[in-house]
Amino acid sequence: ADTVAACKSLLGYEAPVEVYVTPQHEFNASCYREVRGPTVLTLSSRLLEAFTPAELRFVIGHELGHAAFDHYGLPMPVTAMIEELGIPFVSRQVSLKLYAWCRSAELSADRIGLLCAQDPQAAASGFFKLASGMASPRVVPDLATFARQVESLASAPEAREKEYDEDTLDCFSTHPYNPVRVRAVWAFSRSVPFLNAIGRSSLDAWSLDEVEQIVDRDMQ
């Protein structure tokens, strides 16, 4: 409750938020807001038990970021999949753009999560827990190494030669690949806007344009 209140205050988010805990063995969190009514934040019981306070701030900040940016104004992925009498509601080209928008929206929410956590390592360890299901304190992921997986994966010959089924293509996913998200968070954590926002020196920081160049290249 304190974390939700702190994130709301940081964002200036004044709409009421109701928090629910679901009895799940997986790490999971979601947020939804109707046109009328409160913002509903749902957290799995295992996530609450296993995530550190900083990791929890990142997750809650991320979910409230979706609400603050009104990402629910464009309901995805249902908008890209609706069919009327067997005819797709949108064309394939538009569908691809909608999914690309979704992945960008996740990166925007990640930046809000980072702002609430004020700790890029917490974001990296949170991503690692979500991806692996492991929550042992003996396993400490390294943010920079995790982020470099993007280059390793992109440079692998198999990544350029293998043919993929549409169901497995990243371009039809609502979320970016985890290493892409980690590198985007890592880059933003070194930016002038982020460091200024948390009151740290930004003398050697990257400009927002430099950060966006990294993110845009990875997203492509």
Side-chain angles (χ1 to χ4, degrees):
D2 290 343
T3 297
V4 172
C7 289
K8 285 184 63 178
S9 176
L10 184 68
L11 295 176
Y13 189 73
E14 298 179 353
V17 176
E18 292 185 359
V19 184
Y20 294 88
V21 180
T22 58
Q24 289 180 290
H25 295 296
E26 297 82 19
F27 297 130
N28 194 23
S30 64
C31 190
Y32 185 73
R33 180 169 59 82
E34 295 279 1
V35 176
R36 297 180 180 178
T39 299
V40 176
L41 174 62
T42 304
L43 305 169
S44 69
S45 54
R46 185 161 184 247
L47 184 144
L48 279 177
E49 291 171 342
F51 273 45
T52 67
E55 292 166 351
L56 193 59
R57 288 195 301 272
F58 176 78
V59 170
I60 290 176
H62 171 97
E63 297 301 338
L64 291 180
H66 281 308
F69 288 135
D70 194 27
H71 288 155
Y72 312 112
L74 180 58
M76 280 290 291
V78 66
T79 302
M81 297 189 301
I82 292 176
E83 294 189 4
E84 183 71 22
L85 301 177
I87 302 173
F89 186 67
V90 298
S91 68
R92 179 184 177 88
Q93 184 178 11
V94 172
S95 178
L96 285 169
K97 290 180 178 179
L98 288 171
Y99 279 109
W101 175 86
C102 264
R103 293 190 293 274
S104 295
E106 290 299 324
L107 299 188
S108 296
D110 285 344
R111 291 182 179 184
I112 298 298
L114 180 60
L115 188 61
C116 289
Q118 301 191 10
D119 182 357
Q121 186 63 40
S125 57
F127 280 131
F128 182 81
K129 287 179 180 178
L130 288 168
S132 68
M134 292 190 294
S136 170
R138 293 175 295 159
V139 181
V140 182
D142 180 81
L143 180 59
T145 302
F146 197 178
R148 283 197 297 270
Q149 287 186 16
V150 177
E151 296 173 358
S152 299
L153 291 165
S155 63
E158 293 83 359
R160 297 191 298 271
E161 298 171 0
K162 185 177 178 181
E163 292 185 4
Y164 293 90
D165 182 84
E166 278 191 4
D167 292 337
T168 63
L169 281 175
D170 213 34
C171 58
F172 289 99
S173 172
T174 56
H175 287 61
Y177 191 51
N178 260 351
V180 171
R181 294 179 68 180
V182 170
R183 184 146 85 166
V185 165
W186 170 74
F188 188 66
S189 74
R190 300 182 61 178
S191 71
V192 172
F194 173 72
L195 293 173
N196 286 344
I198 63 174
R200 295 183 186 172
S201 172
S202 58
L203 291 178
D204 298 323
W206 295 349
S207 70
L208 191 57
D209 285 342
E210 290 175 305
V211 172
E212 299 296 14
Q213 287 176 11
I214 294 172
V215 173
D216 287 345
R217 185 175 63 247
D218 288 349
M219 293 294 276
Q220 289 294 330

